[in-house]
Amino acid sequence: MVAISERSPMAEVLLFHHALGLTSGITAFADELRAAGHTVHTPDLFKGRTFETIEDGVGHAKEVGFGEILERGTRSADKLPAELVYAGFSLGVVSAQKLAQTRPGAKGALLYYSCVPVSEFGSAWPKGVPVQIHGMDADPYFVDEGDIDAARELVAGTSDAELFTYPGDQHYFADSTLPSYDATAAELLTTRTLTFLKNL
């Protein structure tokens, strides 16, 4: 008799968009994860608004209030299971990181292009919650604004964290719909993401 191998359980991911809003690029990335068998939720923290530039998107977030944007992100998890992977691109990292650090049951975190100090949401990164952080090594948003330092501190403080840097200076480098897209870096980011989810 041939044994039937058990299929590894798929992850359920709550994915937060960047400052351009819930764009087709975010949806395309979510669809890649779905194609691998994962369940992906993509809440719209901007309520249908999308923007052409980071500056315009951040300006909108300021008008709405960063606290309100963060609260929308937190509320989007209310009706979902506890056992989620929290993922975010840039602005969306704040919601993902807060939930990963404060909502019991988190399975993991994927922080793309940004990272905030762990101390923003607690005294330490929660035990048993693996995390990956991805950013370009010359991206002024990631490097000059302190995100890479926060990422290094996070990695140094927990045994199940990885920081991946990619050569280049683009911020939204994994969004296939934008001029900042870097196909080589994006493919590696996606591969590492899928491996992370598979190994949970």
Side-chain angles (χ1 to χ4, degrees):
M1 175 183 277
V2 178
I4 299 175
S5 61
E6 292 186 9
R7 185 181 178 190
S8 60
M10 297 292 101
E12 188 161 356
V13 181
L14 182 56
L15 175 66
F16 295 102
H17 61 74
H18 47 50
L20 302 189
L22 185 56
T23 63
S24 58
I26 295 293
T27 303
F29 183 83
D31 285 344
E32 285 196 70
L33 304 189
R34 292 176 181 126
H38 305 293
T39 299
V40 185
H41 307 276
T42 53
D44 186 350
L45 305 186
F46 284 0
K47 298 185 175 181
R49 297 288 301 277
T50 58
F51 299 90
E52 294 294 323
T53 69
I54 294 174
E55 291 74 20
D56 287 345
V58 170
H60 174 70
K62 286 181 179 177
E63 287 179 14
V64 173
F66 287 116
E68 171 60 20
I69 297 296
L70 183 58
E71 185 58 32
R72 290 176 185 178
T74 302
R75 289 197 303 265
S76 70
D78 286 349
K79 295 182 180 180
L80 297 176
E83 297 78 14
L84 293 174
V85 176
Y86 300 102
F89 286 98
S90 194
L91 179 70
V93 160
V94 184
S95 293
Q97 193 169 330
K98 179 186 178 183
L99 286 164
Q101 287 190 233
T102 63
R103 191 171 186 247
K107 297 287 287 183
L110 292 158
L111 312 180
Y112 304 112
Y113 318 149
S114 299
C115 183
V116 299
V118 170
S119 58
E120 288 288 323
F121 305 116
S123 58
W125 188 261
K127 293 183 183 298
V129 180
V131 54
Q132 283 187 352
I133 307 152
H134 301 259
M136 282 198 155
D137 60 11
D139 167 19
Y141 291 100
F142 187 61
V143 176
D144 298 344
E145 296 186 4
D147 294 67
I148 195 169
D149 298 321
R152 287 171 176 154
E153 185 178 351
L154 194 167
V155 170
T158 183
S159 60
D160 204 0
E162 295 176 290
L163 168 61
F164 295 109
T165 58
Y166 305 79
D169 61 1
Q170 297 301 310
H171 193 49
Y172 295 159
F173 67 88
D175 190 320
S176 61
T177 66
L178 299 175
S180 55
Y181 180 62
D182 183 312
T184 301
E187 182 178 356
L188 187 52
L189 177 149
T190 302
T191 297
R192 286 169 169 164
T193 295
L194 292 173
T195 300
F196 177 88
L197 295 176
K198 180 181 179 182
N199 290 336
L200 291 176

